[in-house]
Amino acid sequence: DTAVSQTPKYLVTQMGNDKSIKCEQNLGHDTMYWYKQDSKKFLKIMFSYNNKELIINETVPNRFSPKSPDKAHLNLHINSLELGDSAVYFCASSQDRGAGVDTQYFGPGTRLTVL
Amino acid sequence: RKEVEQDPGPFNVPEGATVAFNCTYSNSASQSFFWYRQDCRKEPKLLMSVYSSGNEDGRFTAQLNRASQYISLLIRDSKLSDSATYLCVVRMDSSYKLIFGSGTRLLVRP
């Protein structure tokens, strides 16, 4: 059983296009995250939702818009894609509200290539 | 200065070797510390949490020095399967936000 799943796994698209990445977790967790891992392998938080409420919104271009229809899903929509958006995007989830030890479980990643 | 800094490596060691990774963090308010492991083209996975008193999990030992803002990971008797990138991760209190280092790459050769 896949705990955190993402679709698609690979996404190749042209500059200027709009695309979405979907994430689902079946762990019953309350909190979900989007991370971006760039070509230098640096993994950085973009957004986090807790029970459908946005709780982390890092300095990310407003072309990126997360949407959480329910606590098991967190999607990422990207408008007007740019070359610099090429990266691996990881979804993650965790149970705690930040108290104690947080184990974040990551999805397999979506490798986005913008041409 | 980066919030979490690691030596990128790669560390190239023979099987059976002992290898140590270091990590420093800049924010003294940091409260929780972890080591994650990331295999090539895979997602990060929690390896172990790091406690003030130090903790061990089999061949892996993690240490924390709050005064120096320094975290370490020691791997004894390296296996080929230990080859991966090891990510030092820090969380500040009352925050969901994890800050990841850029990782240290380990290659264990036969």
Side-chain angles (χ1 to χ4, degrees):
Chain A
D1 289 342
T2 304
V4 183
S5 59
Q6 295 178 228
T7 54
K9 191 169 183 181
Y10 298 96
L11 185 53
V12 180
T13 188
Q14 300 284 339
M15 274 175 56
N17 284 350
D18 303 339
K19 291 292 179 185
S20 292
I21 308 171
K22 295 186 177 182
C23 179
E24 176 181 0
Q25 53 95 2
N26 62 7
L27 297 166
H29 288 167
D30 294 325
T31 308
M32 296 184 72
Y33 311 79
W34 276 111
Y35 287 86
K36 178 181 180 180
Q37 189 168 43
D38 60 25
S39 57
K40 295 181 180 176
K41 308 300 182 189
F42 193 52
L43 191 66
K44 192 163 184 185
I45 183 84
M46 299 174 69
F47 302 103
S48 179
Y49 272 74
N50 177 268
N51 275 316
K52 302 195 296 176
E53 180 186 345
L54 182 65
I55 55 171
I56 296 176
N57 187 353
E58 291 294 291
T59 306
V60 175
N62 57 15
R63 298 181 294 104
F64 290 78
S65 52
K67 283 191 171 51
S68 182
D70 55 61
K71 74 172 193 177
H73 295 84
L74 180 61
N75 304 323
L76 183 65
H77 188 76
I78 315 171
N79 289 325
S80 303
L81 278 155
E82 300 178 356
L83 293 177
D85 298 334
S86 296
V88 181
Y89 292 84
F90 286 102
C91 177
S93 73
S94 69
Q95 178 62 33
D96 294 333
R97 275 193 65 92
V101 175
D102 297 302
T103 299
Q104 291 191 12
Y105 295 86
F106 284 77
T110 295
R111 188 171 294 272
L112 171 65
T113 303
V114 182
L115 303 175
Chain B
R1 184 185 171 188
K2 290 180 185 172
E3 292 179 276
V4 179
E5 293 208 62
Q6 297 181 247
D7 181 342
F11 285 63
N12 191 324
V13 303
E15 264 189 294
T18 295
V19 61
F21 304 138
N22 302 321
C23 167
T24 57
Y25 60 96
S26 60
N27 193 324
S28 59
S30 301
Q31 290 296 322
S32 303
F33 309 90
F34 313 90
W35 284 101
Y36 273 70
R37 170 191 169 133
Q38 186 172 22
D39 291 290
C40 187
R41 301 179 78 85
K42 297 284 188 182
E43 71 272 22
K45 292 183 180 177
L46 179 66
L47 178 67
M48 58 195 302
S49 301
V50 187
Y51 303 116
S52 296
S53 54
N55 49 298
E56 189 174 305
D57 183 1
R59 298 181 292 108
F60 298 83
T61 300
Q63 296 277 355
L64 168 65
N65 183 323
R66 286 187 184 272
S68 303
Q69 296 178 200
Y70 171 95
I71 307 160
S72 66
L73 177 68
L74 182 77
I75 305 176
R76 290 182 299 278
D77 188 24
S78 299
K79 312 290 184 194
L80 295 176
S81 58
D82 293 335
S83 296
T85 296
Y86 291 83
L87 303 167
C88 178
V89 185
V90 167
R91 184 179 69 90
M92 286 182 286
D93 197 20
S94 70
S95 167
Y96 296 83
K97 184 177 163 183
L98 295 183
I99 311 292
F100 283 77
S102 54
T104 299
R105 193 165 164 224
L106 172 65
L107 302 171
V108 181
R109 63 181 187 269

